[in-house]
mmCIF file of all heavy atoms in Angstrom:
data_model
loop_
_atom_site.group_PDB
_atom_site.id
_atom_site.type_symbol
_atom_site.label_atom_id
_atom_site.label_comp_id
_atom_site.label_asym_id
_atom_site.label_seq_id
_atom_site.Cartn_x
_atom_site.Cartn_y
_atom_site.Cartn_z
ATOM 1 N N LYS A 114 -16.269 -23.321 -25.807
ATOM 2 C CA LYS A 114 -15.629 -24.620 -26.037
ATOM 3 C C LYS A 114 -16.360 -25.724 -25.280
ATOM 4 O O LYS A 114 -16.610 -26.816 -25.832
ATOM 5 C CB LYS A 114 -14.166 -24.558 -25.608
ATOM 6 C CG LYS A 114 -13.398 -25.844 -25.844
ATOM 7 C CD LYS A 114 -11.937 -25.694 -25.444
ATOM 8 C CE LYS A 114 -11.173 -26.993 -25.679
ATOM 9 N NZ LYS A 114 -9.736 -26.853 -25.284
ATOM 10 N N ALA A 115 -16.723 -25.453 -24.020
ATOM 11 C CA ALA A 115 -17.401 -26.463 -23.206
ATOM 12 C C ALA A 115 -18.759 -26.843 -23.787
ATOM 13 O O ALA A 115 -19.209 -27.984 -23.649
ATOM 14 C CB ALA A 115 -17.565 -25.951 -21.779
ATOM 15 N N LEU A 116 -19.419 -25.879 -24.453
ATOM 16 C CA LEU A 116 -20.750 -26.116 -25.019
ATOM 17 C C LEU A 116 -20.705 -26.470 -26.507
ATOM 18 O O LEU A 116 -21.744 -26.551 -27.156
ATOM 19 C CB LEU A 116 -21.617 -24.867 -24.814
ATOM 20 C CG LEU A 116 -21.900 -24.495 -23.353
ATOM 21 C CD1 LEU A 116 -22.570 -23.135 -23.270
ATOM 22 C CD2 LEU A 116 -22.762 -25.564 -22.679
ATOM 23 N N ASN A 117 -19.484 -26.677 -27.030
ATOM 24 C CA ASN A 117 -19.291 -27.013 -28.444
ATOM 25 C C ASN A 117 -19.918 -25.972 -29.371
ATOM 26 O O ASN A 117 -20.555 -26.297 -30.386
ATOM 27 C CB ASN A 117 -19.870 -28.403 -28.754
ATOM 28 C CG ASN A 117 -19.101 -29.506 -28.047
ATOM 29 O OD1 ASN A 117 -17.865 -29.507 -28.056
ATOM 30 N ND2 ASN A 117 -19.821 -30.433 -27.424
ATOM 31 N N LEU A 118 -19.717 -24.719 -29.030
ATOM 32 C CA LEU A 118 -20.231 -23.615 -29.825
ATOM 33 C C LEU A 118 -19.071 -22.905 -30.524
ATOM 34 O O LEU A 118 -17.934 -22.945 -30.039
ATOM 35 C CB LEU A 118 -20.972 -22.619 -28.928
ATOM 36 C CG LEU A 118 -22.230 -23.147 -28.234
ATOM 37 C CD1 LEU A 118 -22.762 -22.103 -27.254
ATOM 38 C CD2 LEU A 118 -23.296 -23.513 -29.265
ATOM 39 N N PRO A 119 -19.337 -22.243 -31.642
ATOM 40 C CA PRO A 119 -18.265 -21.487 -32.306
ATOM 41 C C PRO A 119 -17.841 -20.307 -31.445
ATOM 42 O O PRO A 119 -18.608 -19.844 -30.590
ATOM 43 C CB PRO A 119 -18.926 -21.012 -33.606
ATOM 44 C CG PRO A 119 -20.393 -21.011 -33.312
ATOM 45 C CD PRO A 119 -20.624 -22.148 -32.363
ATOM 46 N N PRO A 120 -16.629 -19.798 -31.636
ATOM 47 C CA PRO A 120 -16.165 -18.645 -30.846
ATOM 48 C C PRO A 120 -17.104 -17.455 -30.995
ATOM 49 O O PRO A 120 -17.611 -17.182 -32.082
ATOM 50 C CB PRO A 120 -14.779 -18.341 -31.444
ATOM 51 C CG PRO A 120 -14.352 -19.631 -32.077
ATOM 52 C CD PRO A 120 -15.610 -20.287 -32.576
ATOM 53 N N GLU A 121 -17.323 -16.768 -29.886
ATOM 54 C CA GLU A 121 -18.193 -15.591 -29.891
ATOM 55 C C GLU A 121 -17.437 -14.395 -30.471
ATOM 56 O O GLU A 121 -16.270 -14.163 -30.136
ATOM 57 C CB GLU A 121 -18.630 -15.252 -28.472
ATOM 58 C CG GLU A 121 -19.613 -16.243 -27.875
ATOM 59 C CD GLU A 121 -21.040 -15.944 -28.271
ATOM 60 O OE1 GLU A 121 -21.298 -14.853 -28.825
ATOM 61 O OE2 GLU A 121 -21.895 -16.818 -28.057
ATOM 62 N N PRO A 122 -18.071 -13.605 -31.341
ATOM 63 C CA PRO A 122 -17.427 -12.376 -31.806
ATOM 64 C C PRO A 122 -17.385 -11.338 -30.698
ATOM 65 O O PRO A 122 -18.127 -11.434 -29.718
ATOM 66 C CB PRO A 122 -18.344 -11.924 -32.954
ATOM 67 C CG PRO A 122 -19.688 -12.488 -32.607
ATOM 68 C CD PRO A 122 -19.409 -13.802 -31.928
ATOM 69 N N ASP A 123 -16.522 -10.356 -30.838
ATOM 70 C CA ASP A 123 -16.475 -9.254 -29.880
ATOM 71 C C ASP A 123 -17.800 -8.501 -29.950
ATOM 72 O O ASP A 123 -18.215 -8.055 -31.025
ATOM 73 C CB ASP A 123 -15.316 -8.319 -30.240
ATOM 74 C CG ASP A 123 -15.087 -7.220 -29.202
ATOM 75 O OD1 ASP A 123 -16.069 -6.768 -28.585
ATOM 76 O OD2 ASP A 123 -13.926 -6.816 -29.027
ATOM 77 N N PRO A 124 -18.501 -8.345 -28.825
ATOM 78 C CA PRO A 124 -19.788 -7.633 -28.845
ATOM 79 C C PRO A 124 -19.700 -6.225 -29.419
ATOM 80 O O PRO A 124 -20.667 -5.724 -29.997
ATOM 81 C CB PRO A 124 -20.197 -7.598 -27.366
ATOM 82 C CG PRO A 124 -19.483 -8.747 -26.746
ATOM 83 C CD PRO A 124 -18.185 -8.857 -27.490
ATOM 84 N N HIS A 125 -18.536 -5.577 -29.267
ATOM 85 C CA HIS A 125 -18.372 -4.237 -29.842
ATOM 86 C C HIS A 125 -18.590 -4.261 -31.362
ATOM 87 O O HIS A 125 -19.165 -3.329 -31.933
ATOM 88 C CB HIS A 125 -16.981 -3.682 -29.541
ATOM 89 C CG HIS A 125 -16.704 -3.437 -28.089
ATOM 90 N ND1 HIS A 125 -16.150 -4.388 -27.268
ATOM 91 C CD2 HIS A 125 -16.909 -2.337 -27.315
ATOM 92 C CE1 HIS A 125 -16.009 -3.896 -26.051
ATOM 93 N NE2 HIS A 125 -16.460 -2.650 -26.048
ATOM 94 N N GLU A 126 -18.111 -5.329 -32.001
ATOM 95 C CA GLU A 126 -18.230 -5.443 -33.453
ATOM 96 C C GLU A 126 -19.675 -5.595 -33.892
ATOM 97 O O GLU A 126 -20.028 -5.284 -35.027
ATOM 98 C CB GLU A 126 -17.397 -6.626 -33.957
ATOM 99 C CG GLU A 126 -15.898 -6.482 -33.695
ATOM 100 C CD GLU A 126 -15.123 -7.727 -34.077
ATOM 101 O OE1 GLU A 126 -15.757 -8.704 -34.545
ATOM 102 O OE2 GLU A 126 -13.887 -7.736 -33.903
ATOM 103 N N LEU A 127 -20.530 -6.085 -32.990
ATOM 104 C CA LEU A 127 -21.947 -6.281 -33.301
ATOM 105 C C LEU A 127 -22.794 -5.101 -32.837
ATOM 106 O O LEU A 127 -24.015 -5.125 -32.977
ATOM 107 C CB LEU A 127 -22.447 -7.561 -32.626
ATOM 108 C CG LEU A 127 -21.702 -8.855 -32.990
ATOM 109 C CD1 LEU A 127 -22.262 -10.019 -32.182
ATOM 110 C CD2 LEU A 127 -21.803 -9.129 -34.483
ATOM 111 N N GLY A 128 -22.138 -4.093 -32.272
ATOM 112 C CA GLY A 128 -22.871 -2.934 -31.786
ATOM 113 C C GLY A 128 -23.614 -3.175 -30.485
ATOM 114 O O GLY A 128 -24.550 -2.441 -30.151
ATOM 115 N N LEU A 129 -23.198 -4.208 -29.741
ATOM 116 C CA LEU A 129 -23.874 -4.541 -28.486
ATOM 117 C C LEU A 129 -23.346 -3.705 -27.325
ATOM 118 O O LEU A 129 -22.221 -3.200 -27.367
ATOM 119 C CB LEU A 129 -23.690 -6.029 -28.176
ATOM 120 C CG LEU A 129 -24.294 -7.003 -29.194
ATOM 121 C CD1 LEU A 129 -23.976 -8.437 -28.815
ATOM 122 C CD2 LEU A 129 -25.796 -6.796 -29.319
ATOM 123 N N LYS A 130 -24.149 -3.590 -26.294
ATOM 124 C CA LYS A 130 -23.805 -2.859 -25.087
ATOM 125 C C LYS A 130 -23.548 -3.835 -23.942
ATOM 126 O O LYS A 130 -23.898 -5.007 -24.023
ATOM 127 C CB LYS A 130 -24.944 -1.904 -24.714
ATOM 128 C CG LYS A 130 -25.281 -0.874 -25.782
ATOM 129 C CD LYS A 130 -24.132 0.097 -25.997
ATOM 130 C CE LYS A 130 -24.520 1.176 -26.999
ATOM 131 N NZ LYS A 130 -23.392 2.112 -27.251
ATOM 132 N N PRO A 131 -22.941 -3.370 -22.845
ATOM 133 C CA PRO A 131 -22.771 -4.245 -21.678
ATOM 134 C C PRO A 131 -24.120 -4.798 -21.221
ATOM 135 O O PRO A 131 -25.164 -4.163 -21.399
ATOM 136 C CB PRO A 131 -22.165 -3.311 -20.630
ATOM 137 C CG PRO A 131 -21.501 -2.231 -21.421
ATOM 138 C CD PRO A 131 -22.353 -2.036 -22.634
ATOM 139 N N TRP A 132 -24.068 -5.977 -20.625
ATOM 140 C CA TRP A 132 -25.279 -6.681 -20.185
ATOM 141 C C TRP A 132 -25.149 -7.009 -18.697
ATOM 142 O O TRP A 132 -24.154 -7.567 -18.268
ATOM 143 C CB TRP A 132 -25.452 -7.956 -21.009
ATOM 144 C CG TRP A 132 -26.564 -8.849 -20.566
ATOM 145 C CD1 TRP A 132 -27.892 -8.608 -20.693
ATOM 146 C CD2 TRP A 132 -26.438 -10.116 -19.927
ATOM 147 N NE1 TRP A 132 -28.622 -9.655 -20.178
ATOM 148 C CE2 TRP A 132 -27.742 -10.594 -19.698
ATOM 149 C CE3 TRP A 132 -25.344 -10.899 -19.521
ATOM 150 C CZ2 TRP A 132 -28.001 -11.816 -19.085
ATOM 151 C CZ3 TRP A 132 -25.603 -12.116 -18.913
ATOM 152 C CH2 TRP A 132 -26.914 -12.569 -18.702
ATOM 153 N N HIS A 133 -26.151 -6.610 -17.918
ATOM 154 C CA HIS A 133 -26.120 -6.820 -16.475
ATOM 155 C C HIS A 133 -27.431 -7.409 -15.977
ATOM 156 O O HIS A 133 -28.480 -7.223 -16.593
ATOM 157 C CB HIS A 133 -25.893 -5.490 -15.732
ATOM 158 C CG HIS A 133 -24.574 -4.857 -15.988
ATOM 159 N ND1 HIS A 133 -24.319 -4.092 -17.119
ATOM 160 C CD2 HIS A 133 -23.421 -4.850 -15.266
ATOM 161 C CE1 HIS A 133 -23.065 -3.655 -17.079
ATOM 162 N NE2 HIS A 133 -22.504 -4.093 -15.969
ATOM 163 N N PHE A 134 -27.339 -8.102 -14.851
ATOM 164 C CA PHE A 134 -28.520 -8.483 -14.085
ATOM 165 C C PHE A 134 -28.342 -7.922 -12.682
ATOM 166 O O PHE A 134 -27.259 -7.436 -12.327
ATOM 167 C CB PHE A 134 -28.717 -10.008 -14.070
ATOM 168 C CG PHE A 134 -27.535 -10.769 -13.551
ATOM 169 C CD1 PHE A 134 -27.393 -11.055 -12.195
ATOM 170 C CD2 PHE A 134 -26.536 -11.207 -14.421
ATOM 171 C CE1 PHE A 134 -26.295 -11.750 -11.718
ATOM 172 C CE2 PHE A 134 -25.429 -11.905 -13.956
ATOM 173 C CZ PHE A 134 -25.313 -12.177 -12.596
ATOM 174 N N ILE A 135 -29.405 -7.967 -11.886
ATOM 175 C CA ILE A 135 -29.368 -7.401 -10.537
ATOM 176 C C ILE A 135 -29.450 -8.519 -9.506
ATOM 177 O O ILE A 135 -30.211 -9.476 -9.659
ATOM 178 C CB ILE A 135 -30.525 -6.397 -10.339
ATOM 179 C CG1 ILE A 135 -30.275 -5.146 -11.189
ATOM 180 C CG2 ILE A 135 -30.684 -6.004 -8.877
ATOM 181 C CD1 ILE A 135 -31.409 -4.144 -11.165
ATOM 182 N N LYS A 136 -28.646 -8.393 -8.468
ATOM 183 C CA LYS A 136 -28.630 -9.365 -7.387
ATOM 184 C C LYS A 136 -29.225 -8.726 -6.130
ATOM 185 O O LYS A 136 -28.981 -7.545 -5.847
ATOM 186 C CB LYS A 136 -27.190 -9.813 -7.118
ATOM 187 C CG LYS A 136 -27.068 -11.248 -6.650
ATOM 188 C CD LYS A 136 -25.716 -11.841 -6.993
ATOM 189 C CE LYS A 136 -25.746 -13.337 -6.748
ATOM 190 N NZ LYS A 136 -24.545 -14.032 -7.168
ATOM 191 N N ALA A 137 -30.008 -9.503 -5.380
ATOM 192 C CA ALA A 137 -30.605 -8.984 -4.151
ATOM 193 C C ALA A 137 -29.514 -8.604 -3.164
ATOM 194 O O ALA A 137 -28.493 -9.283 -3.060
ATOM 195 C CB ALA A 137 -31.534 -10.024 -3.537
ATOM 196 N N SER A 138 -29.716 -7.531 -2.419
ATOM 197 C CA SER A 138 -28.672 -7.005 -1.547
ATOM 198 C C SER A 138 -28.652 -7.695 -0.179
ATOM 199 O O SER A 138 -27.739 -8.457 0.137
ATOM 200 C CB SER A 138 -28.838 -5.496 -1.378
ATOM 201 O OG SER A 138 -27.818 -4.942 -0.602
ATOM 202 N N ALA A 139 -29.656 -7.435 0.647
ATOM 203 C CA ALA A 139 -29.631 -7.928 2.028
ATOM 204 C C ALA A 139 -29.561 -9.452 2.095
ATOM 205 O O ALA A 139 -28.855 -10.015 2.929
ATOM 206 C CB ALA A 139 -30.851 -7.414 2.792
ATOM 207 N N ALA A 140 -30.292 -10.137 1.213
ATOM 208 C CA ALA A 140 -30.306 -11.600 1.267
ATOM 209 C C ALA A 140 -28.994 -12.204 0.794
ATOM 210 O O ALA A 140 -28.529 -13.212 1.337
ATOM 211 C CB ALA A 140 -31.459 -12.140 0.421
ATOM 212 N N CYS A 141 -28.379 -11.592 -0.216
ATOM 213 C CA CYS A 141 -27.220 -12.218 -0.862
ATOM 214 C C CYS A 141 -25.882 -11.848 -0.227
ATOM 215 O O CYS A 141 -24.961 -12.670 -0.199
ATOM 216 C CB CYS A 141 -27.190 -11.844 -2.335
ATOM 217 S SG CYS A 141 -28.569 -12.502 -3.300
ATOM 218 N N VAL A 142 -25.739 -10.627 0.269
ATOM 219 C CA VAL A 142 -24.433 -10.157 0.721
ATOM 220 C C VAL A 142 -24.011 -10.843 2.021
ATOM 221 O O VAL A 142 -24.777 -10.916 2.991
ATOM 222 C CB VAL A 142 -24.456 -8.628 0.905
ATOM 223 C CG1 VAL A 142 -23.221 -8.142 1.666
ATOM 224 C CG2 VAL A 142 -24.541 -7.945 -0.458
ATOM 225 N N ARG A 143 -22.770 -11.325 2.029
ATOM 226 C CA ARG A 143 -22.130 -11.877 3.227
ATOM 227 C C ARG A 143 -20.718 -11.318 3.307
ATOM 228 O O ARG A 143 -20.094 -11.043 2.286
ATOM 229 C CB ARG A 143 -22.083 -13.403 3.187
ATOM 230 C CG ARG A 143 -23.454 -14.082 3.208
ATOM 231 C CD ARG A 143 -24.166 -13.900 4.532
ATOM 232 N NE ARG A 143 -25.430 -14.627 4.568
ATOM 233 C CZ ARG A 143 -26.600 -14.159 4.146
ATOM 234 N NH1 ARG A 143 -26.661 -12.948 3.613
ATOM 235 N NH2 ARG A 143 -27.694 -14.883 4.234
ATOM 236 N N GLY A 144 -20.209 -11.193 4.512
ATOM 237 C CA GLY A 144 -18.907 -10.589 4.701
ATOM 238 C C GLY A 144 -17.756 -11.565 4.635
ATOM 239 O O GLY A 144 -17.946 -12.781 4.525
#
Side-chain angles (χ1 to χ4, degrees):
K114 182 178 180 180
L116 297 171
N117 294 314
L118 296 173
E121 289 276 348
D123 186 327
H125 295 91
E126 297 174 0
L127 303 177
L129 298 177
K130 301 294 184 182
W132 174 71
H133 295 82
F134 56 89
I135 291 175
K136 212 154 191 174
S138 183
C141 294
V142 167
R143 296 292 184 273

